[in-house]
Amino acid sequence: MAQEKVYASPETALADVFEGAVILVAGFAGCEVPRLLLRGLADRGVGGLTCIFSHDAPANEPANASANESAVHGSVAQLVDKGLVRKLISPLPFAPGAGGVVEERWQSGALEIEIVPQGILAERLRAGGAGLGGVFLPTGVGTRFERGREKRSFQWGEALLESPLKADFGLLSVAAADTLGSVVYQGTGRNWAPVMAMAARVTIAEADRIVEPGGLDPEAIITPGIFVNRVIAAE
Amino acid sequence: MVAEKERLEREVVAMRVAKELPDGGYVNLGIGIPTLVSNFIADESVVFYHSESGVLNCGPLAEEDEQDIDLINAGGQFLQPVDGMAFFNTVDAFAMIRGGHVDVTVLGAHQVSARGDLANWMLPERGVGNIGGAMDLAAGARQVIVAMEHTDRQNRPKIVEDCTYPITGKGCVSLIVTDLAVLQPTPEGLVLKEVAPGWSAAEVQELTDARLIIAPDLKEYEL
């Protein structure tokens, strides 16, 4: 009998997250950030984490948002605040809305930060998820991002060798999942989820809706269930 | 004092940039003055907007009571749903940019050099920076236009011989539109092509660190 993918709670889905794990956090500017799972991670309290993410706090709250949303839901900044994070890898670690805690911990030397251009991060994750040995990108040529990277000249120009990124866990927020782990997204909420689902050894999705097989149009599935190991209900 | 003379409004700068966008082109607008550009596209032309938040053919900003957290642009602003939108993931968003499919990006800047180096991601005096997607846009878009104020808040020139801030891209800027002038970085140096009404080339030079090459057909700002 195959392993059941639907888990009862964030707590059970995150039970094997270990000290020093590398965690991918999908979402962009507050859009489809896996807040229940982040909150679950904060409650679980394992430390030494490396979090790879783009931008988890909303730049703007919708005027019509319910008032208690951000109060009860988790964020990467909350994990940093609780001292659970050793390192952040992100294009926007100091994004507005992230709060002062990231900058404060970084200034004090308690938190390591690696800033990676967004498109490079995307291709590094894809390389990790797709089994590539690395990828040559033109982004950053002639800038300080050249440091420590192999540069090669091609007919079309110069490019830097970027290394693949893989992770232990990937956390997603999705519009709907079936019980086999295939998922669909809503609007710009898709962002990092498909590539992060590929790059993580264990991908966990919090889904607004969970349906039986056949409940999603197979033509419309964006991330097939082979990339998603666990599903929890977002409500 | 030249520094105190009246300069063009941000909207006028945006209006001038709008003239540069090709009819039917795919365009990515950065934050600040670039965002305003979409308000000034001529009625007879069509521009398709790309946002690295994962939406193509996106529309105007949403009204306050219609904001949807699942429909945002790269600046985190809420968008109106419009017919013809298409959603995609971050890998595809940057493949569109890096693969040369985005015709023009309009970005803000802290500094631009005479040869078109762009610095727009980090102010060293603050020590922290957010690179976001700017470096990929600088390296990948077919054309990079900078829209910005000519000088910074302390009235220091932002158009310089060589950038002193960490750069985002080397030699990537093809046109600079400011509240004083339109300038074109070239291998020979910075060409002054247009000046704001009431401004002379000499006055613009006074607020520019890089030495200006005056275009033989120097014009007043053309809207």
Side-chain angles (χ1 to χ4, degrees), chain A residues 69-94:
Chain A
E69 269 193 17
S70 48
V72 295
H73 293 156
S75 65
V76 173
Q78 183 188 37
L79 298 178
V80 171
D81 192 35
K82 289 191 76 171
L84 302 176
V85 181
R86 185 183 68 79
K87 182 176 180 181
L88 295 178
I89 301 178
S90 173
L92 296 151
F94 305 108

Side-chain angles (χ1 to χ4, degrees), chain A residues 28-32 58-64 91-96 103 106-107 115-120 122-123 126 137-145 186-192 194-195, chain B residues 52-55 64-79 87-91 94-95 98 121-122 126-136 139-140 166-170:
Chain A
F28 180 86
C31 189
E32 291 290 21
N60 310 288
E61 288 282 359
N64 49 0
L92 296 151
F94 305 108
E103 193 168 334
W106 175 71
Q107 297 283 10
I115 298 182
V116 183
Q118 216 165 313
I120 291 182
E123 286 301 327
R126 203 191 96 74
L137 299 176
T139 305
V141 168
T143 76
R144 61 162 63 177
F145 283 81
Q186 177 73 41
T188 49
R190 189 179 310 183
N191 58 62
W192 292 90
V195 75
Chain B
E52 64 269 32
S53 61
V55 56
E64 223 176 58
D65 55 344
E66 288 170 348
Q67 293 175 343
D68 173 4
I69 188 65
D70 290 324
L71 189 48
I72 59 171
N73 65 17
Q77 296 168 301
F78 302 101
L79 298 170
F87 299 118
F88 41 85
N89 69 51
T90 307
V91 173
F94 284 90
R98 207 187 302 105
W121 75 277
M122 190 195 205
R126 227 189 128 225
V128 300
N130 282 308
I131 184 68
M135 213 168 251
D136 306 280
I167 65 168
T168 311
K170 211 165 172 54

Side-chain angles (χ1 to χ4, degrees), chain B residues 112-117 148 150 157-162 173-178 181-194 204-205 207-216 218:
Chain B
V112 184
S113 82
R115 280 166 308 286
D117 297 350
M148 65 176 189
H150 204 88
K158 293 173 73 170
I159 301 172
V160 292
E161 204 58 55
D162 288 297
V173 177
S174 61
L175 196 71
I176 310 167
V177 181
T178 77
V182 178
L183 310 104
Q184 190 172 29
T186 71
E188 291 72 43
L190 190 64
V191 179
L192 178 65
K193 302 189 66 159
E194 298 173 25
V204 172
Q205 177 67 79
L207 295 173
T208 309
D209 173 66
R211 200 179 54 81
L212 299 176
I213 301 168
I214 314 296
L218 178 70

Side-chain angles (χ1 to χ4, degrees), chain A residues 29-221:
Chain A
C31 189
E32 291 290 21
V33 173
R35 303 223 170 267
L36 273 186
L37 288 165
L38 284 168
R39 177 59 187 242
L41 211 50
D43 292 344
R44 184 158 155 68
V46 288
L49 303 174
T50 295
C51 291
I52 304 175
F53 72 113
S54 179
H55 181 182
D56 77 325
N60 310 288
E61 288 282 359
N64 49 0
S66 69
N68 63 349
E69 269 193 17
S70 48
V72 295
H73 293 156
S75 65
V76 173
Q78 183 188 37
L79 298 178
V80 171
D81 192 35
K82 289 191 76 171
L84 302 176
V85 181
R86 185 183 68 79
K87 182 176 180 181
L88 295 178
I89 301 178
S90 173
L92 296 151
F94 305 108
V101 62
V102 169
E103 193 168 334
E104 196 180 287
R105 295 294 162 89
W106 175 71
Q107 297 283 10
S108 77
L111 178 68
E112 192 185 332
I113 291 183
E114 180 182 345
I115 298 182
V116 183
Q118 216 165 313
I120 291 182
L121 182 60
E123 286 301 327
R124 288 182 67 188
L125 289 166
R126 203 191 96 74
L132 310 184
V135 56
F136 278 100
L137 299 176
T139 305
V141 168
T143 76
R144 61 162 63 177
F145 283 81
E146 278 196 9
R147 235 174 270 163
R149 285 175 173 80
E150 181 187 336
K151 182 155 81 172
R152 197 177 291 186
S153 291
F154 296 92
Q155 260 184 337
W156 48 268
E158 292 182 309
L160 305 174
L161 177 60
E162 298 292 344
S163 56
L165 264 179
K166 285 175 87 88
D168 299 303
F169 296 91
L171 311 182
L172 324 177
S173 171
V174 307
D178 70 18
T179 56
L180 304 176
S182 293
V183 303
V184 296
Y185 304 97
Q186 177 73 41
T188 49
R190 189 179 310 183
N191 58 62
W192 292 90
V195 75
M196 286 186 170
M198 291 170 70
R201 187 175 53 81
V202 175
T203 296
I204 312 170
E206 58 181 75
D208 290 340
R209 202 158 56 85
I210 300 176
V211 300
E212 290 301 318
L216 299 178
D217 176 359
E219 297 285 0
I221 288 169

